[in-house]
Amino acid sequence: MGVAAQLLGAFASYTRTAWWGLVAPRLTESRPLLVLQGVVLREKDGEREVLLSVRSDLHGWELPGGTLEPGEAFEPALAREIREETGFEVEVGRHVGDYVRTGFRPHTARIHVCRVAGGELRTSRETPIVRWFSCRHLPETLFPWYRQPLADALANLPGPVECRRHQGLAEIWAGMRIDLRMRLSGDRAGLP
């Protein structure tokens, strides 16, 4: 795909994301958004690895997860979302924390450590790229708002944390730079 097509795709994604992040939470949604995400870990050759994915809308590495369906409990919802996005059945473990984000797309990200219990790696329409990374060599194109939850998950803290952070223009710009870098490299940018 050529550069012009990549930039046109980015513009379309940014328009949808701007609506989703700036307008929808303030005009069309009646309750705060809760996003469930998993730090899916495994040991391979004596090294700890984490499962990351790239979504089809904004290109950059992130933790798998999603939102609750009506009547669904937290842990089954997270396990379902991870299965849909990665192909893996997981056991949902320790609650790492709740990351409350204000500003662009206000939401709370509830993060749990998870362990693979079955299934096999596969992509989906929503997450066309899924890959294991060494916890010591994360991709440069990991969206920055995932670095603290990952660090907290790997630190084995004694209890869940609550972290508040405003997502303003600096975070939006950082996300756009990562997205463009990934698109223009064929989603290979920043790999260790």
Side-chain angles (χ1 to χ4, degrees):
M1 189 179 295
V3 171
Q6 289 289 353
L7 293 175
L8 186 59
F11 178 75
S13 286
Y14 297 166
T15 301
R16 285 188 303 274
T17 301
W19 175 268
W20 177 79
L22 297 170
V23 179
R26 292 155 180 89
L27 294 181
T28 64
E29 297 172 3
S30 60
R31 58 189 180 133
L33 179 64
L34 175 64
V35 177
L36 308 172
Q37 292 176 303
V39 177
V40 182
L41 297 172
R42 75 174 182 185
E43 291 285 329
K44 184 175 182 189
D45 301 326
E47 186 156 353
R48 204 158 37 163
E49 294 182 327
V50 64
L51 187 65
L52 300 174
S53 62
V54 175
R55 297 177 61 85
S56 59
D57 51 357
L58 278 182
H59 297 223
W61 294 98
E62 61 182 55
L63 298 172
T67 58
L68 292 163
E69 291 182 355
E72 200 172 24
F74 296 126
E75 291 182 14
L78 178 56
R80 173 188 52 77
E81 285 286 350
I82 291 172
R83 181 181 59 252
E84 289 173 1
E85 291 185 3
T86 72
F88 288 120
E89 299 288 337
V90 296
E91 291 176 4
V92 177
R94 179 173 52 89
H95 178 201
V96 175
D98 290 339
Y99 298 80
V100 180
R101 298 174 179 138
T102 61
F104 184 79
R105 192 47 167 150
H107 69 280
T108 297
R110 178 162 292 158
I111 311 289
H112 284 263
V113 172
C114 299
R115 184 183 73 76
V116 173
E120 59 184 61
L121 182 72
R122 68 162 173 70
T123 60
S124 70
R125 191 170 53 89
E126 187 178 357
T127 53
I129 305 171
V130 181
R131 180 175 165 185
W132 290 99
F133 288 91
S134 163
C135 291
R136 294 183 303 120
H137 303 289
L138 297 172
E140 294 171 10
T141 47
L142 173 69
F143 285 126
W145 43 90
Y146 293 108
R147 291 197 181 272
Q148 187 63 53
L150 264 169
D152 292 345
L154 296 171
N156 279 328
L157 301 173
V161 300
E162 182 169 312
C163 181
R164 295 185 172 274
R165 183 170 182 155
H166 182 77
Q167 303 229 115
L169 289 176
E171 287 77 13
I172 293 169
W173 179 238
M176 288 175 68
R177 281 194 322 267
I178 287 171
D179 176 81
L180 286 171
R181 189 172 168 204
M182 290 285 284
R183 285 175 193 270
L184 295 175
S185 73
D187 291 319
R188 292 182 307 277
L191 294 178

